[in-house]
Amino acid sequence: MDNNDTRIKNLGGGSLLIAWQLKGKNVLIVGGGEVASQRIESILASDAFIHVLSPQNGLHPRTRQFIELRKDRITYHERCYSGPGELDDMDMVLTALDDNELSRSIVELSRQRRIPVNAADIPDLCDFYFGAQIRDGPLQIMISTNGNGPRIASLIKTRLQKGLSGLEGEAIIKVGQLRNKLKERAPGVGGQLGRDRMKWISSLCNKWEMEDFTLLDEAMMDRLLDEGWEQGKRVPEIKDLGIRPTGNNTHRCRLYNACSNSLVQTVIAFVAGAAMTTLLFRHVSKR
């Protein structure tokens, strides 16, 4: 049995890592304390509509701040959970309560209606977990311990953040804009053309430094496509376009070389390659 066979036989014991699209969906959060405020912040990033159930005296200051500043996305109901009717039209349910029995009741009712549910601090009741998150625009990195050690996930997050330059999100935005321009020139879904587009973008991401993409503007993108894609799908050097990295970008780039932690180096390599070419936003889910 080779190493790959062993790896396949040992698969299991984790969660499915996905990017759960909640834009325009309704999410119920029962509770208004500190944990509820954390859930609100995570869900707000997904452009969902949030419904918070909590009496005024149960609101954490951050929860109150979210409610006051994001009335476009958050509907506050000043009451305790009143029964199954609260779940009507909901696409996801989150409980952030000290009352475990009430949480269990809400979980059971949610599952009867096939609504994904998470009960804070009760891992065995959760269809999915929240982990430590790093966000920079479209870049999202989730660190999950599969419910075993949230504090460890937070410590790993701190280590990873030290290895990032702060330009990753902007670079990903520029790559996304370039991909859209390429699709306009070479439209179509799938097939050989789709594979050629992906191969060209992937080769560009592998060849250029991440910071190089932050220097691109509309005109430079058009020139890159003219002198690259249109010329036999060539992958130009950034200097071929007359672009020179600024001193600030060069300095930031050195942050990668200064990183000595092997775990951080591995994740950065993944972000530079996979994240920029796929632009995937991942969530943790356990069903």
Side-chain angles (χ1 to χ4, degrees):
M1 183 181 298
D2 61 22
N3 290 337
N4 192 51
D5 290 340
T6 301
R7 182 188 65 82
I8 293 174
K9 288 180 71 65
N10 290 334
L11 284 174
S15 299
L16 175 65
L17 303 180
I18 63 174
W20 200 330
Q21 302 301 301
L22 286 174
K23 184 175 182 179
K25 301 293 182 67
N26 291 308
V27 178
L28 175 66
I29 300 180
V30 185
E34 183 177 4
V35 173
S37 72
Q38 296 167 1
R39 299 294 188 254
I40 291 172
E41 184 167 3
S42 295
I43 300 299
L44 270 178
S46 69
D47 292 329
F49 292 106
I50 302 171
H51 303 262
V52 178
L53 286 179
S54 175
Q56 278 282 349
N57 60 9
L59 293 180
H60 186 272
R62 290 190 72 241
T63 303
R64 195 184 306 276
Q65 182 181 30
F66 281 126
I67 292 171
E68 292 174 352
L69 297 179
R70 294 306 305 268
K71 297 182 187 300
D72 59 320
R73 287 284 163 182
I74 302 175
T75 301
Y76 172 50
H77 305 277
E78 188 182 349
R79 63 174 185 270
C80 295
Y81 174 82
S82 62
E86 304 283 17
L87 307 182
D88 291 348
D89 301 320
M90 293 299 155
D91 299 292
M92 176 181 287
V93 174
L94 314 174
T95 72
L97 300 166
D98 294 328
D99 188 338
N100 285 0
E101 289 305 312
L102 179 57
S103 285
R104 289 181 182 277
S105 174
I106 295 172
V107 167
E108 182 178 346
L109 289 169
S110 298
R111 289 192 173 141
Q112 289 175 6
R113 299 187 181 203
R114 298 185 182 276
I115 303 173
V117 61
N118 173 280
D121 295 329
I122 316 178
D124 61 302
L125 294 185
C126 296
D127 290 329
F128 56 91
Y129 299 131
F130 287 85
Q133 301 176 36
I134 297 174
R135 295 180 180 273
D136 181 6
L139 172 64
Q140 298 177 144
I141 301 174
M142 170 72 76
I143 303 99
S144 172
T145 61
N146 210 34
N148 288 289
R151 179 53 185 161
I152 296 298
S154 179
L155 294 173
I156 293 173
K157 169 186 172 179
T158 300
R159 290 189 181 187
L160 296 182
Q161 283 181 313
K162 291 178 180 179
L164 298 174
S165 70
L167 296 176
E168 290 79 11
E170 183 181 354
I172 292 172
I173 290 173
K174 294 297 180 68
V175 172
Q177 293 170 348
L178 180 63
R179 290 181 69 212
N180 289 335
K181 281 181 170 289
L182 177 55
K183 288 180 181 179
E184 291 175 359
R185 294 198 183 201
V189 178
Q192 186 58 49
L193 180 59
R195 289 191 290 271
D196 288 345
R197 286 198 309 256
M198 179 58 72
K199 181 179 179 180
W200 187 76
I201 288 289
S202 296
S203 297
L204 190 66
C205 290
N206 290 333
K207 190 171 186 176
W208 284 28
E209 294 288 346
M210 192 181 305
E211 285 77 6
D212 294 342
F213 290 99
T214 67
L215 304 176
L216 292 175
D217 57 22
E218 292 276 339
M220 292 174 183
M221 289 182 192
D222 288 333
R223 183 176 174 185
L224 175 56
L225 291 170
D226 289 340
E227 299 182 13
W229 174 263
E230 301 291 358
Q231 300 298 319
K233 303 178 181 60
R234 186 174 71 90
V235 180
E237 299 277 358
I238 188 171
K239 63 183 180 181
D240 296 339
L241 304 179
I243 303 174
R244 293 290 183 272
T246 65
N248 189 40
N249 280 340
T250 301
H251 171 71
R252 287 175 170 173
C253 186
R254 282 200 294 267
L255 290 175
Y256 290 96
N257 298 327
C259 177
S260 60
N261 185 287
S262 61
L263 175 61
V264 175
Q265 290 174 326
T266 299
V267 173
I268 291 173
F270 172 78
V271 171
M276 285 209 303
T277 57
T278 62
L279 305 179
L280 293 177
F281 172 154
R282 55 166 67 181
H283 263 287
V284 175
S285 172
K286 182 179 181 183
R287 296 307 305 271

